[in-house]
Amino acid sequence: MKSILDNRPALAKEVNKVAEVAGYLWQKGWAERNGGNITINITEFVDDEIKALPAISDVTSIGTTLPNLKGCYFYCKGTNMRMRDLARWPMENGSVIRILDDCASYVIIADQPVKPTSELPSHLSMHNFLIGKGSNYKASLHTHPIDLIAMTHHKPFLEKDVLTNLLWSMIPETKAFCPRGLGIIPYKLPSSVELAQATIAELKEYDVVMWEKHGVCAVGIDIMDAFDQVDVLSKSAQIYMTSKNMGFEPGGMSAEQMQEMTVAFNLPK
Ligand code: 2HA
Ligand code: ZN
């Protein structure tokens, strides 16, 4: 079967990275059933032939207007599709969409009419925000990491930067590779425009945000970068939990050790 990825190695490489990450999400137990979603801004790979491709779906409303997305193209995981299937067949469990000139609706253009993720309003709002601030980030990831979600069931962890500082202090790499920390968003209905708006408000300060009792949302240069940030936070959460399971409160790196690290690695705060 013909695919939009045929003879487009640069585009195929990005979609293959999505498939690789989808496999990791499944292996980690972060992607039960259809859990989680991924979108990638692929506009830079769009040539005249792709621009001329006809719609293969009806025009569908996004639910919000996103002015920076005019003429943009995204690869999106399909709604109800499973990460474990996407890992093997990314173009059967996801599709490419074109944002229409009203900036409030889209059509699917390839390969098959797979309806995009239920979290499309929040994903596209994040891309709209990133473009607006001139960011080179192209990927948005939502997933359900067991350890990090469990931590949001404890009220004191929902205060600003409590989890950021706790997780950073478990192992030096976490601050080095997730230098902006972890934002917290109080529980909101999945897929809602309210959740999308709260997410972009937090992205001003963080690259990874927690949706209380639901999951994380991360942005990055590519999908690997977004995944790696969640992965280092999850590693820290595991060290915390393992220490608690051994019956003690982990001491964490001291303020001096954190400061030394921040200077040595030239980190922001
Ligand atoms: O796609 O994770 O939040 C399923 C979800 C929705
Ligand atoms: Zn979810």
Side-chain angles (χ1 to χ4, degrees), residues 156-204:
F157 286 162
L158 301 178
E159 295 296 323
K160 186 173 168 58
D161 285 334
V162 170
L163 270 185
T164 297
N165 289 313
L166 177 69
L167 296 171
W168 277 350
S169 80
M170 290 294 106
I171 177 172
E173 271 77 0
T174 301
K175 186 169 185 184
F177 299 119
C178 184
R180 301 180 80 206
L182 181 61
I184 304 283
I185 298 176
Y187 183 85
K188 297 206 167 30
L189 184 71
S191 315
S192 62
V193 168
E194 290 70 33
L195 180 57
Q197 284 165 347
T199 303
I200 54 171
E202 286 295 286
L203 281 191
K204 293 182 181 132

Side-chain angles (χ1 to χ4, degrees), residues 19-30 87 224 227:
E20 184 179 338
V21 165
Y24 299 153
L25 300 178
W26 166 249
Q27 285 160 13
K28 283 186 160 288
W30 298 355
M224 224 41 98
F227 169 76

Side-chain angles (χ1 to χ4, degrees), residues 54-57 95-98 106-110 112-116:
I56 55 170
S57 72
S95 60
V96 173
I97 64 167
R98 170 191 295 140
Y106 69 88
V107 290
I108 304 170
I109 59 152
Q112 300 172 30
V114 174
K115 187 175 156 27

Side-chain angles (χ1 to χ4, degrees), residues 46-207:
V46 167
D47 49 38
D48 289 344
E49 211 180 307
I50 295 179
K51 283 188 189 141
L53 286 175
I56 55 170
S57 72
D58 291 339
V59 173
T60 308
S61 168
I62 299 167
T64 177
T65 303
L66 303 166
N68 302 329
L69 299 191
K70 190 170 177 169
C72 283
Y73 290 75
F74 296 89
Y75 168 84
C76 307
K77 173 184 173 278
T79 190
N80 281 323
M81 299 304 183
R82 289 159 167 80
M83 289 291 181
R84 62 181 190 255
D85 294 333
L86 195 152
R88 290 173 291 172
W89 305 295
M91 296 310 291
E92 290 168 32
N93 293 278
S95 60
V96 173
I97 64 167
R98 170 191 295 140
I99 307 297
L100 300 183
D101 284 353
D102 64 1
C103 300
S105 58
Y106 69 88
V107 290
I108 304 170
I109 59 152
D111 285 348
Q112 300 172 30
V114 174
K115 187 175 156 27
T117 161
S118 59
E119 298 290 359
L120 199 65
S122 52
H123 277 258
L124 293 182
S125 298
M126 289 190 276
H127 288 291
N128 184 67
F129 168 79
L130 293 169
I131 293 169
K133 72 168 197 173
S135 167
N136 60 349
Y137 283 13
K138 296 286 158 55
S140 160
L141 165 69
H142 163 59
T143 186
H144 299 166
I146 304 163
D147 37 32
L148 293 171
I149 297 169
M151 293 181 105
T152 70
H153 285 262
H154 185 50
K155 260 216 159 67
F157 286 162
L158 301 178
E159 295 296 323
K160 186 173 168 58
D161 285 334
V162 170
L163 270 185
T164 297
N165 289 313
L166 177 69
L167 296 171
W168 277 350
S169 80
M170 290 294 106
I171 177 172
E173 271 77 0
T174 301
K175 186 169 185 184
F177 299 119
C178 184
R180 301 180 80 206
L182 181 61
I184 304 283
I185 298 176
Y187 183 85
K188 297 206 167 30
L189 184 71
S191 315
S192 62
V193 168
E194 290 70 33
L195 180 57
Q197 284 165 347
T199 303
I200 54 171
E202 286 295 286
L203 281 191
K204 293 182 181 132
E205 212 177 322
Y206 304 95
D207 284 349

